[in-house]
Amino acid sequence: MVVKTLYSVLGLDATASQNDIDDAFTRLKLQHPQAKIEADENARIRFAAIQQAYATLHEPDARAAYDQRVKRAGIKVADWSPLALNNEPGWMSLRNILVAGFVVILVSGMW
């Protein structure tokens, strides 16, 4: 079973720095403009989750308390991110996305 954590909502790992958290929130905020949030109920729910994750992880005391609760619950928080951080490629690099798209095209018979 996959457990979604506040880190995964922002697309980060548990070792993310404060700057990484701020950058991820800014990136996601730009992907959810106000008009989209007002028009789409799913976008509103996703952005509410993003805001809650940022509010918790942005404050050092709240983040420490969250990390303790997650650890006590026995939830394994990934120590890697699918997104590229610190100039590391990650699995969500442009090359891998293009290859995956090509495979989908081949499998679907659209080629």
Side-chain angles (χ1 to χ4, degrees):
M1 177 174 77
V2 176
V3 177
K4 195 158 197 155
T5 64
L6 296 181
Y7 293 104
S8 64
V9 169
L10 294 177
L12 299 170
D13 62 2
T15 61
S17 69
Q18 192 64 39
N19 287 338
D20 293 335
I21 293 170
D22 293 339
D23 292 345
F25 178 71
T26 302
R27 176 180 42 83
L28 291 169
K29 188 176 179 181
L30 292 174
Q31 292 175 2
H32 294 81
Q34 188 65 31
K36 182 178 180 180
I37 293 170
E38 291 172 357
D40 184 10
E41 181 69 18
N42 289 331
R44 186 185 66 75
I45 293 169
R46 279 192 308 272
F47 190 65
I50 291 166
Q51 285 180 315
Q52 179 62 43
Y54 178 72
T56 301
L57 297 178
H58 180 71
E59 297 295 327
D61 295 335
R63 182 178 180 181
Y66 173 75
D67 289 342
Q68 283 182 341
R69 284 193 309 265
V70 167
K71 187 175 181 180
R72 258 186 301 188
I75 298 171
K76 172 82 170 96
V77 177
D79 56 358
W80 57 272
S81 172
L83 303 176
L85 293 175
N86 301 327
N87 296 325
E88 295 175 5
W91 65 263
M92 205 164 175
S93 65
L94 178 62
R95 180 185 150 277
N96 290 345
I97 292 171
L98 292 174
V99 168
F102 185 66
V103 168
V104 168
I105 289 171
L106 286 177
V107 170
S108 68
M110 294 172 63
W111 185 260

